[in-house]
């Protein structure tokens, strides 16, 4: 199966322009394509997974990825999929986040001469003269058409700032700039970016003529991919200091039954023939599929050694007892104890199992917190210093495990 057909078979393609040309370029390694990443945090999360895996697949087929970090557009904020205006970041914060992104991306794609490139649109956007920009680029955009775009329609009732209204021309200019200076002939993005991406394709054609080759393609389930990156209390990060390999493994081990095969098909590099055979798996075999998914993705992000550790730790917990050396652990300093004890609510907050005592109390009262395998009977339950010396295993719900030990 050729590359483009495999992308379709894996469910990664939603919409395209110029499909025949896109197919020919991708299959023959002729695409120089970009995908944009907004540096709104100092780590990528699993919502970026499809884009990273796609870049890896296409590079393996001889195509050249450009990872565009939105250091310039981040100064404005993308209104797509949002109900409020994104908070402003300093240039220093944005640059720090960009540096963190590159380190994580290097696990997926290979940078270097003739290979993948990382660029920051701050390098050209921050130097633009506003009057020149709106005369040269703004004249190519119809306000009526922009207001019909889904990314703006979602915000019109809540309020759309003029600042954010500039995002579409800015993103479109990125493709125009990359086309001229980097030979970028294709752009990828999620469904929520479709209007912005078409704007870039149209800008190239209007500025450089109808013969200019600029292709657009979107990934399927981008909004679902973003949801993948969120748990009830925050994001599942690719940075092991923010989400441990064990927690990362557990996240994928506990995906919904209905989603496991879709995730395996879209996100792993297992052969399609093997995945097709797994499609018929039911009942207990679904758990095996989840273990395969969790292992493959943990290996991809954190390496095979960490994936093996996470898998061993998870199996030990679910069979009862066993090796807990790879379980996420928080050291509790003695000064957090009062009269030789620490309350369960304070301990949960210290271990980041709850954002506040109020939330910890709610979890305990609902019967969802266990210490050393026993349900915590009341919010007043306390853990002694001797218990902490040996190490206390805390379970929140059925899926989250943590260990607390005296520092």
């Amino acid at each position: 199966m050729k590359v483009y057909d495999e992308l379709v078979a894996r469910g990664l393609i939603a919409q395209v322009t110029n499909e025949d040309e896109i197919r020919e370029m991708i299959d023959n390694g002729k695409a120089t394509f970009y995908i944009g990443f907004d540096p709104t945090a100092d780590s990528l999360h699993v919502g970026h997974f499809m884009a990273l895996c796609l870049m890896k697949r296409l590079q393996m087929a001889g195509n050249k990825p450009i990872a565009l970090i939105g250091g310039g557009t981040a100064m404005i904020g993308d209104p797509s999929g949002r109900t409020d205006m994104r908070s402003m970041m300093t240039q220093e914060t944005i640059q720090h986040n960009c540096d963190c992104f590159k380190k994580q991306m290097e696990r997926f794609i290979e940078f270097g001469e003739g290979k993948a490139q990382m660029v920051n649109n701050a390098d050209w956007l921050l130097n633009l003269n506003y009057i020149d920009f709106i005369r040269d680029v703004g004249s190519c955009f119809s306000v009526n058409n922009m207001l019909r775009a889904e990314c703006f329609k979602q915000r019109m009732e809540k309020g759309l700032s003029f600042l954010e209204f500039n995002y579409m021309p800015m993103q479109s200019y990125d493709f125009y700039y990359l086309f001229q200076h980097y030979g970028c002939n294709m752009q990828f993005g999620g469904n929520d970016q479709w209007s912005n991406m078409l704007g870039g394709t149209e800008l190239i054609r209007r500025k450089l003529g109808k013969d200019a080759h600029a292709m657009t393609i979107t990934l399927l389930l981008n909004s679902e991919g973003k949801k993948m990156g969120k748990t009830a209390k925050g994001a599942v990060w690719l940075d092991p200091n923010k989400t441990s390999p064990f927690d990362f493994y557990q996240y994928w081990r506990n995906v919904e039954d209905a989603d496991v095969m879709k995730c395996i098909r879209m996100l792993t590099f297992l052969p399609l023939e093997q995945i097709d055979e797994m499609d018929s798996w039911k009942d207990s075999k679904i758990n095996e599929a989840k273990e395969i998914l969790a292992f493959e993705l943990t290996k991809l992000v954190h390496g095979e050694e960490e994936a093996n550790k996470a898998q061993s730790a998870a199996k030990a917990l679910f069979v009862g007892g066993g090796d807990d050396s790879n379980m996420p652990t928080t050291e509790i300093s003695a000064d957090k104890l009062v009269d030789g004890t620490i309350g369960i609510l304070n301990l949960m907050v210290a271990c980041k199992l709850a954002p506040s005592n109020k939330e910890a109390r709610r979890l305990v009262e609902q019967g969802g917190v266990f210490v050393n395998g026993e349900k915590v009977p009341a919010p007043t339950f306390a853990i002694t210093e001797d218990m902490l010396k040996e190490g206390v295993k805390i379970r929140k719900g059925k899926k989250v495990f943590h260990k607390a030990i005296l520092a």
Side-chain angles (χ1 to χ4, degrees):
M1 184 181 293
K2 292 190 175 181
V3 182
Y4 184 84
D5 289 336
E6 180 173 354
L7 298 182
V8 172
R10 288 183 179 274
L12 290 167
I13 305 300
Q15 302 178 79
V16 299
T17 63
N18 311 77
E19 184 173 38
D20 290 341
E21 291 181 80
I22 288 173
R23 182 192 302 272
E24 191 274 332
M25 291 176 71
I26 287 177
D27 285 348
N28 292 287
K30 297 178 181 178
T32 298
F33 67 96
Y34 96 88
I35 299 179
F37 298 83
D38 276 339
T40 53
D42 59 1
S43 173
L44 298 166
H45 58 69
V46 299
H48 297 110
F49 227 99
M50 276 189 292
L52 295 170
C53 292
L54 180 72
M55 294 173 86
K56 182 178 177 71
R57 291 183 202 282
L58 292 178
Q59 186 177 47
M60 290 168 63
N63 299 286
K64 296 180 181 179
I66 298 175
L68 173 67
I69 305 298
T73 41
M75 301 292 288
I76 296 175
D78 181 5
S80 300
R82 297 184 60 83
T83 58
D84 57 356
M85 193 169 80
R86 178 174 288 158
S87 60
M88 295 293 173
M89 295 184 294
T90 66
Q91 290 189 39
E92 292 75 17
T93 298
I94 291 171
Q95 185 57 52
H96 171 71
N97 294 348
C98 291
D99 294 340
C100 294
F101 278 21
K102 185 172 183 181
K103 290 179 182 177
Q104 294 175 357
M105 287 181 179
E106 286 173 342
R107 294 201 69 94
F108 291 81
I109 55 178
E110 188 176 357
F111 292 96
E113 187 69 30
K115 298 175 183 176
Q117 300 177 77
M118 175 173 281
V119 297
N120 186 338
N121 64 13
D123 293 342
W124 55 86
L125 292 181
L126 296 187
N127 295 323
L128 289 173
N129 178 286
Y130 187 66
I131 297 298
D132 291 342
F133 180 78
I134 58 176
R135 283 174 60 88
D136 187 42
V137 175
S139 60
C140 297
F141 288 82
S142 161
V143 171
N144 290 346
N145 289 338
M146 290 174 69
L147 291 176
R148 284 193 289 269
E150 197 63 34
C151 60
F152 290 134
K153 284 168 61 178
Q154 295 173 4
R155 286 292 305 282
M156 290 303 290
E157 293 183 8
K158 296 284 185 179
L160 177 70
S161 73
F162 179 72
L163 177 71
E164 295 170 290
F165 200 60
N166 284 267
Y167 192 91
M168 181 184 288
M170 288 285 194
Q171 180 173 329
S172 299
Y173 185 80
D174 284 342
F175 193 22
Y176 174 63
Y177 186 92
L178 292 173
F179 181 87
Q180 289 187 294
H181 295 86
Y182 289 86
C184 180
N185 51 28
M186 196 176 298
Q187 58 179 334
F188 285 75
N191 282 346
D192 60 347
Q193 296 293 312
W194 184 242
S195 297
N196 294 338
M197 294 165 66
L198 290 179
T201 299
E202 183 61 22
L203 178 62
I204 290 173
R205 289 174 178 165
R206 292 192 63 170
K207 298 294 293 181
L208 303 177
K210 292 182 180 180
D211 292 334
H213 286 286
M215 315 290 184
T216 302
I217 195 165
T218 69
L219 308 181
L220 182 63
L221 298 171
N222 178 266
S223 59
E224 191 161 317
K226 288 184 175 178
K227 284 193 293 183
M228 280 181 191
K230 302 293 182 181
T231 63
K233 298 302 171 188
V236 177
W237 304 101
L238 305 194
D239 183 344
N241 295 316
K242 297 169 78 74
T243 298
S244 71
F246 175 86
D247 285 336
F248 188 85
Y249 179 95
Q250 285 294 93
Y251 174 81
W252 294 106
R253 173 63 180 78
N254 292 304
V255 298
E256 296 294 329
D257 290 0
D259 293 333
V260 61
M261 291 310 305
K262 179 169 57 181
C263 290
I264 287 176
R265 190 173 294 276
M266 297 176 76
L267 303 178
T268 76
F269 286 78
L270 296 175
L272 282 172
E273 295 80 6
Q274 180 181 347
I275 297 172
D276 289 340
E277 292 177 4
M278 295 167 65
D279 267 334
S280 61
W281 288 7
K282 296 180 181 178
D283 303 325
S284 62
K285 294 285 283 184
I286 290 293
N287 286 328
E288 183 179 341
K290 291 181 180 182
E291 290 176 357
I292 292 172
L293 171 67
F295 180 83
E296 290 296 324
L297 298 190
T298 305
K299 180 174 70 172
L300 189 61
V301 174
H302 298 295
E304 189 165 5
E305 182 179 353
E306 290 297 332
N308 281 321
K309 288 180 182 178
Q311 187 173 67
S312 297
K315 288 183 176 180
L317 287 171
F318 283 105
V319 299
D323 179 18
D324 62 4
S325 60
N326 295 307
M327 188 187 299
T329 300
T330 298
E331 293 188 347
I332 305 298
S333 59
D335 59 12
K336 290 187 178 294
L337 277 62
V338 178
D339 295 330
T341 66
I342 182 171
I344 184 61
L345 306 186
N346 289 332
L347 183 60
M348 290 180 67
V349 172
C351 293
K352 298 182 180 179
L353 292 172
S356 65
N357 279 23
K358 180 179 179 181
E359 176 63 17
R361 177 183 293 274
R362 183 187 68 81
L363 292 168
V364 170
E365 290 177 343
Q366 291 180 349
V369 180
F370 297 77
V371 169
N372 292 339
E374 299 291 331
K375 183 185 292 186
V376 173
T380 55
F381 181 80
I383 289 85
T384 67
E385 183 175 1
D386 287 341
M387 292 170 67
L388 283 172
K389 286 179 180 178
E390 295 185 10
V392 173
K393 297 178 186 177
I394 308 168
R395 175 161 64 90
K396 184 178 74 170
K398 295 181 179 179
K399 304 176 181 179
V400 179
F401 296 87
H402 203 90
K403 184 167 67 174
I405 192 166
L406 194 66

